[in-house]
Amino acid sequence: RAPVAVQCREAQLEVTVHRDLFGNGRPVSAAELSLGPAACRHSRLDAARNTVTFRAGLHECGSTVQVTPDSLIYRTLLTYEPSPGSNPVIVRSSPAVIPIECHYPRRDNVSSGAIRPTWAPFSSALAAQDKLLFSLRLMNEDWSAERAFTGFRLGDVLNIQAEVGTQSHVPLRLFVDSCVATLSPGAEASPHYAIIDFNG
């Protein structure tokens, strides 16, 4: 079992710490653990599983965000600060700082199939990723409803609505780099017609 597990959700991250953090049979105290520069305290203590859980919004506890061409990366730190015992000269364990990262891709391909959220840990730093929900819909002339697909001819006007389903995630701007129309699934199908090209 991993001593620390991370789950990145749409608007918050969840960090679960096993109290036998160092695998030496000496459980750490929940009071000795904190999240982020703001030193947020744990949200839940599970005595049966011997775990401590932190839940915090992506912008809470002093976390930072980095915007790269492909991702939004939220970073924070899990800190273990051992409390001094009755004899301050004897140090039973050393402080520890564990980097935590949440990665959210800024772009994805859209098809008729739903995109399911997923996360997976990274090996270099404790991190996870989550996919946002993207959609591309054909709308009717006044944009009030989705248009029933009845076929199109070259030169027809298409009202295309692109969305990213952020739900409770922080607000995002959506850019569509390319879009093609084909007779069958797949951007490389032939024939295909560019609707949006040249990076938008």
Side-chain angles (χ1 to χ4, degrees), residues 62-184:
S63 64
T64 61
V65 62
Q66 176 188 0
V67 180
T68 72
D70 298 317
S71 301
L72 297 174
I73 305 172
Y74 294 88
R75 291 189 173 94
T76 190
L77 301 170
L78 175 69
T79 302
Y80 166 65
E81 186 67 42
S83 57
S86 56
N87 186 344
V89 177
I90 300 174
V91 178
R92 297 192 178 274
S93 59
S94 300
V97 176
I98 301 169
I100 306 289
E101 292 184 2
C102 280
H103 292 233
Y104 294 85
R106 291 181 63 192
R107 60 184 70 201
D108 210 330
N109 293 323
V110 177
S111 68
S112 57
I115 300 172
R116 301 294 181 187
T118 181
W119 69 275
F122 285 68
S123 55
S124 57
L126 207 57
Q129 65 180 8
D130 190 10
K131 287 197 173 185
L132 300 171
L133 300 176
F134 293 87
S135 67
L136 202 61
R137 297 191 297 162
L138 286 169
M139 306 298 289
N140 60 17
E141 291 181 1
D142 64 359
W143 299 90
S144 61
E146 192 167 355
R147 173 178 171 168
F149 181 78
T150 56
F152 303 97
R153 297 181 181 181
L154 288 178
D156 284 354
V157 175
L158 303 180
N159 294 334
I160 300 174
Q161 180 172 296
E163 291 181 299
V164 54
T166 60
Q167 296 188 16
S168 54
H169 194 282
V170 292
L172 299 171
R173 295 177 68 187
L174 178 60
F175 298 90
V176 180
D177 288 340
S178 64
C179 177
V180 296
T182 61
L183 296 176
S184 58

Side-chain angles (χ1 to χ4, degrees), residues 1-87:
R1 182 193 317 193
V4 181
V6 178
Q7 289 192 48
C8 294
R9 306 190 189 282
E10 289 177 355
Q12 67 177 2
L13 62 90
E14 183 175 302
V15 181
T16 302
V17 185
H18 196 274
R19 289 186 58 214
D20 189 4
L21 183 60
F22 300 103
N24 57 9
R26 293 179 178 169
V28 302
S29 168
E32 297 172 322
L33 298 167
S34 62
L35 186 68
C40 290
R41 294 300 169 188
H42 64 280
S43 306
R44 184 168 182 258
L45 178 59
D46 189 330
R49 296 185 180 179
N50 212 19
T51 58
V52 179
T53 300
F54 295 84
R55 289 189 188 92
L58 295 175
H59 286 286
E60 294 176 355
C61 302
S63 64
T64 61
V65 62
Q66 176 188 0
V67 180
T68 72
D70 298 317
S71 301
L72 297 174
I73 305 172
Y74 294 88
R75 291 189 173 94
T76 190
L77 301 170
L78 175 69
T79 302
Y80 166 65
E81 186 67 42
S83 57
S86 56
N87 186 344

